[in-house]
Amino acid sequence: VRRTLARFVMTDGLIRLGGNLVVPFFSVYFVRELGASEAWFGTLRVVERTIEVIAMLAIAPVASRFGPVATIALSQLASVPMLLGLGFAPNLGVASGIFLIRGTLMEMTVPLRDNFMMDRLPPGSRATVSASVLLFGYAIAFFSGLAGGQMVESGLRHLTYIVAGALYTISAVLFFRLFHDQSREKSHA
């Protein structure tokens, strides 16, 4: 249980470390730098969540074919070019399209990952491990969000996207390497 907890804290922590350098500042980026109205960004978020829900429902057959570990890792890796594209987008239209794809790729496998994590644990430790992963994630996000805010304010927005992309990549590769040998890899979606 401790080994599984450490693996999930490490991989989830890297995602949260990178994500919180940029995600809390998406609205600022869209409104201040790309010229979106608050209403535009609000609508964009609603559309993003709608697409994510549909993608969450559609990901099960993919996971059944390729296994949850490969599906999760590949989805996270596929989001990296989108994250970088978003950070360097030339205009609001391009950024909006990339935003929808990036968010979907990152969020659509969350239920799959949570189910995979629960399958690796005995029933008596599931709630504790899940809460611990969240707690560590929130603690990491606290410091990462502060660092991201300072970097953006210092004019280093592009660097935050590059660092976040690198952390996403490391997390996805590490997740695959740590969990790809799980015996029930293809049997649970």
Side-chain angles (χ1 to χ4, degrees):
V1 170
R2 289 180 199 179
R3 183 176 174 189
T4 300
L5 170 63
R7 288 175 170 192
F8 278 105
V9 164
M10 192 178 344
T11 55
D12 184 68
L14 288 168
I15 289 287
R16 289 185 185 264
L17 185 62
N20 282 286
L21 288 173
V22 295
V23 173
F25 310 103
F26 281 163
S27 61
V28 174
Y29 173 55
F30 271 83
V31 173
R32 285 191 188 164
E33 296 193 37
L34 295 174
S37 68
E38 289 86 354
W40 175 272
F41 187 74
T43 302
L44 189 64
R45 291 289 291 177
V46 169
V47 171
E48 176 195 31
R49 291 295 181 209
T50 303
I51 295 170
E52 287 170 6
V53 168
I54 294 166
M56 284 177 190
L57 296 171
I59 199 68
V62 176
S64 291
R65 178 174 168 98
F66 298 105
V69 171
T71 303
I72 293 163
L74 288 173
S75 178
Q76 289 177 354
L77 281 175
S79 78
V80 173
M82 298 299 112
L83 178 70
L84 295 174
L86 178 61
F88 293 87
N91 59 52
L92 179 59
V94 171
S96 297
I98 292 172
F99 178 81
L100 295 175
I101 297 168
R102 187 221 69 87
T104 300
L105 288 169
M106 281 306 294
E107 297 298 325
M108 71 183 184
T109 58
V110 169
L112 182 63
R113 189 215 54 189
D114 290 348
N115 184 61
F116 177 77
M117 181 170 58
M118 293 303 109
D119 281 350
R120 302 298 98 7
L121 299 165
S125 66
R126 290 176 181 169
T128 302
V129 169
S130 180
S132 297
V133 170
L134 283 173
L135 179 66
F136 281 109
Y138 289 152
I140 290 166
F142 175 76
F143 293 107
S144 182
L146 289 173
Q150 292 296 319
M151 290 173 74
V152 168
E153 194 170 311
S154 298
L156 300 172
R157 180 182 56 79
H158 289 105
L159 181 60
T160 64
Y161 282 84
I162 293 168
V163 172
L167 290 168
Y168 279 22
T169 301
I170 293 166
S171 175
V173 170
L174 188 60
F175 183 85
F176 185 79
R177 294 202 32 99
L178 290 173
F179 294 110
H180 79 282
D181 63 346
Q182 299 291 316
S183 61
R184 296 185 290 178
E185 163 72 284
K186 289 192 177 188
S187 63
H188 297 311

